[in-house]
């Protein structure tokens, strides 16, 4: 006990910098482990909190992209449009590309395809913003909802639609308020809705937000 007391007195006599050096020298691995544990716990807590928030709408850009301001308009802007409830969120994955014409998928193509497939399987994807060439490929994969099942005829009549075989597969974006305000990288840009999108009312509201006149 006397030795411990003497060491403590010697430690107290050190300057602040020397105290830090002493602590780091003798306890650095314990500090590293403790900091790592705290970071992991903070990450887990943040993930749990984020997952507990209600998703208003979830989308992805495939073979298309827009400006950072355009992404903000679709994400933060739409969240505020819906009331800015901190218990809610808008999910958006930006700028992924898939070369549907390639004989084999590259790693980037495969990664983008797996993101889309996994989100559809998990029923956590509502819409895809793409181009009309890619729309044909998505139709072949049977991941496109006929919008006649979602929108009334009078609503469809207001917007420029993409039709194939009598089905309304997508809405063209070129002449929308969004496209005039925020550039889209792809020609013949369009938005499609996936068949197993969960909240049809939210999708209707989002389409109104996206297509509306300023």
């Amino acid at each position: 006990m006397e030795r411990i007391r003497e060491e403590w007195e010697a430690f107290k006599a050190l300057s602040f910098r020397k105290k830090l050096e002493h602590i780091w020298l003798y306890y650095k691995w314990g500090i590293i482990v403790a900091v790592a544990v705290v970071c992991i716990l903070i990450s887990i807590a943040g993930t749990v909190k984020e997952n507990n928030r209600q998703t208003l709408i979830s989308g992805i850009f495939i073979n298309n992209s827009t400006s950072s301001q355009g992404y903000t308009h679709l994400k933060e802007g739409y969240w505020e449009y819906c009331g800015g409830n901190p218990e809610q969120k808008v999910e958006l994955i930006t700028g992924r590309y898939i070369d549907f014409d390639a004989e084999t998928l590259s790693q980037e193509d495969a990664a983008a395809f797996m993101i889309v497939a996994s989100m559809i399987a998990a029923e956590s994807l509502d819409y895809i913003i793409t181009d009309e060439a890619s729309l044909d490929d998505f139709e072949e994969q049977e991941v496109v909802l006929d919008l006649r099942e979602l929108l009334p005829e009078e609503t469809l009549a207001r917007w420029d639609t993409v039709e194939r075989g009598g089905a309304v597969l997508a809405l063209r974006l070129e002449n929308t308020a969004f496209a005039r305000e925020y550039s889209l990288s792809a020609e013949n840009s369009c938005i499609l809705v996936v068949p197993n999108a969960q909240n049809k009312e939210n999708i209707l509201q989002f389409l109104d937000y996206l297509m509306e006149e300023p």
Side-chain angles (χ1 to χ4, degrees):
M1 291 293 294
E2 183 65 22
R3 180 181 176 184
I4 294 175
R5 188 182 66 80
E6 291 176 355
E7 290 180 352
W8 174 245
E9 292 297 329
F11 176 76
K12 288 196 297 181
L14 296 173
S15 66
F16 181 75
R17 182 176 178 179
K18 290 294 185 181
K19 284 186 176 75
L20 292 179
E21 291 176 353
H22 179 87
I23 291 171
W24 180 250
L25 177 63
Y26 290 98
Y27 303 105
K28 63 181 177 181
W29 291 113
I31 293 171
I32 291 171
V33 171
V35 170
V37 170
V38 169
C39 290
I40 291 171
L41 291 175
I42 291 173
S43 177
I44 292 173
T47 299
V48 170
K49 181 179 180 180
E50 183 70 13
N51 288 340
N52 285 336
R53 296 169 67 193
Q54 176 195 5
T55 299
L56 291 169
I57 197 81
S58 175
I60 187 171
F61 276 69
I62 296 290
N63 296 344
N64 207 339
S65 62
T66 187
S67 63
S68 59
Q69 293 85 356
Y71 291 132
T72 298
H73 178 77
L74 295 178
K75 192 172 182 181
E76 286 83 358
Y78 183 64
W79 176 74
E80 292 175 357
Y81 175 83
C82 293
N85 187 340
E87 299 301 318
Q88 297 175 325
K89 62 181 178 179
V90 174
E91 295 183 340
L92 177 62
I93 298 176
T94 61
R96 297 294 191 272
Y97 291 87
I98 303 173
D99 185 354
F100 289 106
D101 296 327
E103 293 183 2
T104 59
L105 291 177
S106 67
Q107 289 185 353
E108 292 78 9
D109 293 339
F113 188 83
M114 286 304 298
I115 290 172
V116 174
S118 60
M119 291 181 72
I120 291 175
E123 298 183 344
S124 61
L125 181 65
D126 297 308
Y127 72 87
I128 300 173
I129 291 180
T130 185
D131 59 6
E132 289 189 40
S134 301
L135 176 63
D136 295 334
D137 294 291
F138 283 122
E139 183 187 11
E140 290 180 5
Q141 302 296 322
E142 299 181 345
V143 296
V144 183
L145 176 71
D146 183 351
L147 293 178
R148 294 177 304 173
E149 300 177 17
L150 177 67
L151 299 169
E153 290 185 9
E154 57 269 24
T155 299
L156 288 173
R158 288 165 39 208
W159 296 332
D160 189 4
T161 59
V162 181
E163 299 184 24
R164 301 279 194 277
V168 179
L169 301 184
L171 303 175
R172 291 189 177 94
L173 298 177
E174 279 84 358
N175 296 319
T176 63
F178 176 82
R180 287 193 294 271
E181 184 72 20
Y182 310 103
S183 62
L184 289 161
S185 64
E187 295 183 0
N188 301 318
S189 296
C190 60
I191 181 171
L192 66 90
V193 176
V194 302
N196 62 348
Q198 291 301 290
N199 193 321
K200 299 297 192 293
E201 291 183 2
N202 284 355
I203 295 170
L204 288 171
Q205 181 170 283
F206 177 76
L207 291 176
D208 279 333
Y209 173 79
L210 179 67
M211 308 291 285
E212 70 179 0
E213 294 295 327

